[in-house]
């Protein structure tokens, strides 16, 4: 194998336990075509996946969805992760998870809970989630997490409807007892791409938001950790998507397909292997979807001879396909991409149209 | 992962412990001991592991140093205390340790 193509041990597993979710967030990262309940992996298979993941080097598993609590066997899956030696992180909407349900997960060995909060303003938050009463549930579950002594992260996805309330959102996270808050600007794939005109903030709003995060980090140093996912569309350099394709993480879908990143299914022609037919180790090493963009051999110019190619790995393959029309192209977020102007054009397309909510 | 800042001393009576949600675990494929926390992973080298595994919340900092000095008779006690204090202080700052 050429340099940069050497196999590394993955650190993280995103386990999408189900696509079912009571919320309908217009920026949802699930694919437009959702897996059906009847196609979901059973408890036994998830248990095997947890052990295989740990054997491969995975240290942390993110139990996600949809809403993972929609699965009745969630405590068994958490226990399997713990037995395998994995650190487990529950990524929940809080809707459909009771205090008793949470206590069962804690007993099963759950390490950390991350609750999504759509806005500091309750009416706006419920509107974004497409679920009346979601805010009240989220605040109640946050209190239950803290009462159990578990670390709480609040995840806030930022877009045009809430971007001017970042300070209030961080204050809310602090008041809920979160030790960590994620301020994540929308990534425009899947449902978010469908809703991009309704979600896209203005350049000025983004600048104000970035400055607010820096100010709040200094103000709350030691009280809360603020992790920010910066908005791609106003950047000059691409992000090293998922830390490099097939380098650090893998994603198992509800039906068992293993993806290098959660959006990878948008790329046509990629062959994904399934945990029903292969071990995770075989898939990591040899599945065509993982080898397709691992390392740097697949690159074209300007990536191929770029000094940053081992830092950003050409950026996001999905974005390259969606905007440049070629998954092997340079991520058009990069100023060196011949398609960079299209990113700016997309960032300028704003319309006050209703959200198209996902349905499940 | 040892920090060089040795100006912060810890009280010999302090009882350092990993809070809930922070765990020390061994993973063969990652080549050893790691400290796991929300969205964060820290590799623990042999020295860090020896210190961290003693931070049970039961043992005092003074007791931990005595124990380490006994386990590693070749290392000067002052140096052990400084290294352990720096490591623990650094983790407290990151909310990965409670004292």
């Amino acid at each position: 194998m050429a340099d940069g193509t050497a196999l590394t041990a993955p650190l993280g597993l995103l386990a999408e336990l189900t696509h079912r979710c009571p919320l309908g967030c217009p920026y949802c990262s699930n694919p437009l075509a959702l897996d059906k309940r009847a196609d979901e992996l059973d408890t036994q298979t998830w248990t095997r996946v947890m052990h295989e993941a740990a054997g491969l080097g995975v240290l942390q598993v993110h139990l996600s969805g949809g809403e993972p609590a929609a699965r009745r066997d969630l405590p068994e899956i958490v226990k399997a992760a713990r037995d395998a030696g994995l650190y487990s992180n529950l990524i929940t909407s809080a809707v459909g998870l009771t205090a008793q349900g949470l206590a069962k997960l804690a007993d099963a060995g759950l390490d950390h809970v991350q609750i999504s909060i759509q806005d500091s303003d309750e009416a706006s938050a419920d509107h974004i989630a497409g679920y009346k009463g979601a805010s009240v549930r989220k605040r109640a579950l946050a209190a239950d997490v803290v009462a159990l002594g578990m670390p709480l992260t609040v995840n806030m996805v930022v877009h045009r409807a809430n971007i001017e309330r970042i300070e209030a959102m961080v204050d809310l996270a602090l008041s809920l007892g979160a030790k960590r808050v994620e301020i994540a600007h929308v990534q425009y794939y899947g449902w978010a791409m469908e809703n991009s005109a309704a979600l896209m903030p203005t350049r000025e709003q983004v600048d104000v938001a970035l400055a607010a995060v820096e100010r709040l980090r200094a103000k709350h140093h030691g009280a809360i950790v603020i992790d920010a996912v910066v908005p791609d569309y106003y950047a000059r350099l691409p992000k090293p998507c998922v830390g490099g394709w097939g380098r650090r993480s893998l994603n198992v879908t509800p039906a068992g397909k293993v993806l290098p990143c959660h959006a990878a299914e948008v790329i046509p022609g990629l062959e994904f292997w399934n945990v029903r037919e292969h071990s995770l180790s075989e898939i990591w090493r040899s599945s065509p979807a993982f080898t397709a963009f691992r390392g740097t051999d697949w690159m074209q110019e300007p990536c191929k001879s770029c000094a940053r190619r081992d830092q950003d790995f050409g950026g996001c393959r999905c974005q390259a396909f969606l905007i440049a029309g070629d998954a092997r192209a340079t991520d058009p977020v990069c100023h060196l991409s011949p398609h960079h102007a299209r990113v700016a054009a997309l960032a300028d397309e704003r319309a006050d149209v209703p959200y198209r909510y996902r349905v499940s | 992962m040892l920090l060089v800042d040795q100006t912060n001393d810890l009280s010999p009576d302090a009882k350092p412990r990993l809070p809930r949600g922070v765990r020390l675990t061994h993973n063969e494929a990652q080549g050893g001991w790691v400290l796991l926390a929300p969205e964060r992973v820290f590799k623990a080298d042999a020295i860090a592991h020896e210190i961290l595994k003693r931070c049970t919340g039961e043992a005092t900092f003074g007791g931990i140093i005595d124990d380490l000095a006994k386990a590693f008779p070749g290392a000067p006690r002052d140096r052990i205390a400084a290294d352990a204090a720096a490591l623990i202080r650094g983790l407290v700052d990151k909310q990965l340790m409670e004292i």
Side-chain angles (χ1 to χ4, degrees):
Chain A
M1 282 188 192
D3 278 352
T5 320
L7 209 57
T8 51
L11 293 165
L13 168 70
L14 182 66
E16 291 181 338
L17 301 179
T18 179
H19 278 158
R20 288 174 282 143
C21 185
L23 306 192
C25 305
Y27 48 75
C28 180
S29 64
N30 285 168
L32 297 177
L34 300 167
D35 288 351
K36 294 182 193 68
R37 180 178 196 158
D39 296 331
E40 290 176 5
L41 297 178
D42 60 14
T43 320
Q44 210 184 346
T45 309
W46 276 117
T47 301
R48 173 171 60 82
V49 167
M50 297 301 164
H51 286 271
E52 289 178 352
L56 199 48
V58 168
L59 299 171
Q60 301 201 335
V61 58
H62 309 285
L63 303 167
S64 178
E67 170 49 55
R71 280 189 71 127
R72 292 208 191 101
D73 59 354
L74 186 57
E76 285 97 305
I77 294 172
V78 166
K79 185 173 181 304
R82 182 61 178 248
D83 290 346
L86 298 175
Y87 186 97
S88 59
N89 171 25
L90 180 71
I91 301 179
T92 182
S93 70
V95 177
L97 182 56
T98 62
Q100 293 90 326
L102 178 72
K104 268 190 203 166
L105 299 178
D107 287 345
L110 184 66
D111 289 298
H112 170 227
V113 179
Q114 174 178 316
I115 299 177
S116 64
I117 289 192
Q118 278 67 28
D119 200 336
S120 53
D121 178 279
E122 289 197 21
S124 169
D126 287 359
H127 171 68
I128 294 164
Y131 191 101
K132 206 165 169 39
S135 285
V136 174
R137 267 307 304 143
K138 287 163 188 283
R139 292 171 197 215
L141 189 76
D144 297 333
V145 172
V146 172
L148 284 170
M150 299 175 83
L152 169 70
T153 288
V154 165
N155 169 279
M156 295 166 162
V157 176
V158 174
H159 47 85
R160 194 160 82 242
N162 61 14
I163 193 167
E164 290 175 8
R165 282 190 287 277
I166 286 182
E167 178 153 17
M169 291 198 277
V170 170
D171 285 346
L172 173 59
L174 273 163
S175 74
L176 293 174
K179 286 191 172 174
R180 193 172 156 270
V181 58
E182 284 181 2
I183 307 281
H185 287 255
V186 167
Q187 305 267 2
Y188 293 94
Y189 328 107
W191 293 93
M193 194 68 157
E194 290 288 300
N195 284 297
S196 67
L199 295 169
M200 192 70 73
T202 65
R203 172 90 207 210
E204 191 191 12
Q205 285 177 317
V206 168
D207 289 342
V208 171
L210 292 174
V213 166
E214 287 314 309
R215 186 166 42 81
L216 293 166
R217 267 191 185 141
K219 182 177 169 190
H220 298 304
H221 180 76
I224 195 166
V225 175
I226 304 179
D227 281 337
V229 177
V230 297
D232 254 354
Y233 275 38
Y234 293 110
R236 284 185 79 243
L237 296 170
K239 290 196 196 79
C241 194
V242 289
W245 190 273
R247 280 186 79 246
R248 286 171 56 179
S249 61
L250 31 76
N251 177 23
V252 179
T253 70
K257 264 196 252 180
V258 188
L259 320 177
C261 84
H262 63 261
E265 284 179 285
V266 304
I267 299 174
L270 282 185
E271 184 190 332
F272 302 103
W273 287 1
N274 195 299
V275 294
R276 294 182 213 259
E277 282 119 37
H278 299 273
S279 73
L280 215 52
S281 158
E282 279 175 329
I283 296 171
W284 178 253
R285 201 177 331 115
S286 317
S287 92
F290 276 86
T291 56
F293 305 114
R294 183 176 270 145
T296 53
D297 284 353
W298 57 273
M299 287 179 175
Q300 307 169 352
E301 293 297 348
C303 290
K304 205 180 178 71
S305 59
C306 180
R308 290 177 50 88
R309 68 178 195 172
D310 294 310
Q311 278 167 263
D312 61 31
F313 305 99
C316 171
R317 297 303 86 227
C318 303
Q319 206 149 254
F321 169 71
L322 289 170
I323 299 172
D326 178 1
R328 308 181 100 78
T330 298
D331 184 339
V333 161
C334 181
H335 68 289
L336 297 173
S337 162
H339 304 285
H340 187 60
R342 287 195 206 168
V343 175
L346 271 169
D348 276 337
E349 275 172 32
R350 279 178 294 275
D352 287 318
V353 291
Y355 296 139
R356 185 183 161 212
Y357 291 103
R358 54 163 277 174
V359 280
S360 62
Chain B
M1 75 184 270
L2 286 182
L3 304 178
V4 286
D5 181 356
Q6 298 180 3
T7 55
N8 285 317
D9 271 336
L10 278 179
S11 154
D13 300 328
K15 289 181 176 174
R17 68 179 185 104
L18 299 177
R20 184 157 189 181
V22 180
R23 280 204 285 131
L24 188 64
T25 191
H26 189 269
N27 185 292
E28 204 58 54
Q30 295 291 354
W33 288 93
V34 281
L35 190 63
L36 302 174
E39 303 291 332
R40 285 182 290 178
V41 170
F42 301 88
K43 292 219 169 178
D45 60 23
I47 297 168
H49 173 240
E50 290 296 334
I51 298 166
L52 291 174
K53 75 178 184 189
R54 288 171 168 83
C55 297
T56 57
E58 303 285 322
T60 62
F61 181 65
I64 291 170
I65 300 308
D66 291 342
D67 195 35
L68 284 166
K70 224 177 284 169
F72 301 95
R77 196 178 190 286
D78 287 358
R79 182 61 201 271
I80 291 175
D83 280 356
L87 176 70
I88 292 167
R89 277 284 175 204
L91 292 172
V92 168
D93 284 350
K94 296 190 184 87
Q95 303 191 9
L96 300 172
M97 181 77 79
E98 289 172 354
I99 47 173

